Amino acid sequence: QQPVQSPQAVILREGEDAVINCSSSKALYSVHWYRQKHGEAPVFLMILLKGGEQKGHEKISASFNEKKQQSSLYLTASQLSYSGTYFCGTEGWGGADGLTFGKGTHLIIQP
Amino acid sequence: DAEITQSPRHKITETGRQVTLACHQTWNHNNMFWYRQDLGHGLRLIHYSYGVHDTNKGEVSDGYSVSRSNTEDLPLTLESAASSQTSVYFCASSEGPEQSPYNEQFFGPGTRLTVL
């Protein structure tokens, strides 16, 4: 089932912080985060694994609550270049069915 | 540099025609995926492959097929195009094995398909 992202959209001033949430109804093995700018392909940001391992971006952090099957992406001191649509992709146990992506969160950073 | 390419980038076709979208990657990745992206739906998985001669159905596979005859290519075929298949199609690849914990996906530039 498709994970639910919140908020659907957010507008910030440059330098402000943002949190994007991703919630799933199924047990998760990993959560992936991607950013997509208008007219471009999604670009990898981060992977979080059950057990706490992470791999990802220097200036973006994330958390993974395995019990609640939730992940949050933290964008601190946002820059204009952070604007875009953020997608979480979830992978269930077994990993044999690919990623299921949420509908996305639109982030607009204003100067 | 290694890359993933898609062709064509834009395609207009008519209802009922067979259409094939190409995806080619030079990373020697085992895993390849096809997604479609529509407003309000995000990215939805169509088909995927974990190696040569391996193919699997995704969430929205009806009306689509794929075949994997080599590591580099995973063409997506619309057997009889329908207006509901108007969308942007993204191909992606990642390293194997399929359950590797660091399976970040690299996306191609996308193909915009319009079915009239």
Side-chain angles (χ1 to χ4, degrees):
Chain A
Q1 288 187 349
Q2 193 172 33
V4 177
Q5 290 186 231
S6 62
Q8 290 185 344
V10 59
I11 301 174
L12 297 174
R13 293 285 182 189
E14 198 173 6
E16 293 181 336
D17 300 339
V19 180
I20 300 172
N21 301 302
C22 176
S23 179
S24 175
S25 60
K26 67 177 184 180
L28 300 178
Y29 175 74
S30 68
V31 178
H32 299 221
W33 287 95
Y34 290 80
R35 177 171 62 208
Q36 184 180 31
K37 294 187 178 287
H38 183 69
E40 299 181 6
V43 174
F44 167 78
L45 293 176
M46 179 163 288
I47 291 176
L48 301 104
L49 304 176
K50 183 177 174 68
E53 287 186 80
Q54 293 188 21
K55 176 188 177 187
H57 200 279
E58 287 181 358
K59 297 183 180 180
I60 295 173
S61 62
S63 64
F64 181 18
N65 186 322
E66 300 161 23
K67 288 186 178 180
K68 293 186 177 180
Q69 294 153 193
Q70 293 176 346
S71 177
S72 295
L73 186 71
Y74 305 98
L75 306 169
T76 56
S78 57
Q79 305 170 14
L80 294 175
S81 62
Y82 287 6
S83 291
T85 302
Y86 289 77
F87 293 97
C88 70
T90 57
E91 181 180 26
W93 277 95
D97 54 358
L99 289 177
T100 303
F101 284 93
K103 293 184 179 181
T105 295
H106 301 283
L107 177 64
I108 298 173
I109 309 296
Q110 296 179 336
Chain B
D1 285 344
E3 61 179 354
I4 181 167
T5 57
Q6 294 184 234
S7 61
R9 294 294 310 280
H10 302 272
K11 174 80 175 177
I12 300 175
T13 191
E14 296 177 343
T15 301
R17 290 189 179 267
Q18 184 181 77
V19 177
T20 297
L21 308 182
C23 175
H24 179 81
Q25 52 94 6
T26 59
W27 281 299
N28 202 36
H29 283 167
N30 285 328
N31 305 336
M32 296 185 73
F33 308 86
W34 274 104
Y35 297 91
R36 61 176 290 175
Q37 185 171 39
D38 306 287
L39 269 177
H41 289 281
L43 292 154
R44 291 183 291 175
L45 185 63
I46 305 171
H47 281 286
Y48 56 101
S49 168
Y50 288 138
V52 176
H53 302 310
D54 174 75
T55 60
N56 305 280
K57 294 182 178 180
E59 176 191 358
V60 291
S61 60
D62 287 348
Y64 303 93
S65 64
V66 293
S67 63
R68 186 94 179 267
S69 58
N70 58 53
T71 301
E72 295 81 17
D73 300 289
L74 187 69
L76 177 71
T77 297
L78 287 69
E79 303 293 346
S80 177
S83 58
S84 60
Q85 295 176 308
T86 292
S87 185
V88 178
Y89 291 85
F90 285 101
C91 178
S93 71
S94 67
E95 291 184 15
E98 63 268 22
Q99 295 188 28
S100 167
Y102 296 119
N103 247 357
E104 58 182 283
Q105 294 188 14
F106 298 86
F107 284 80
T111 294
R112 184 173 296 275
L113 176 68
T114 303
V115 182
L116 300 175

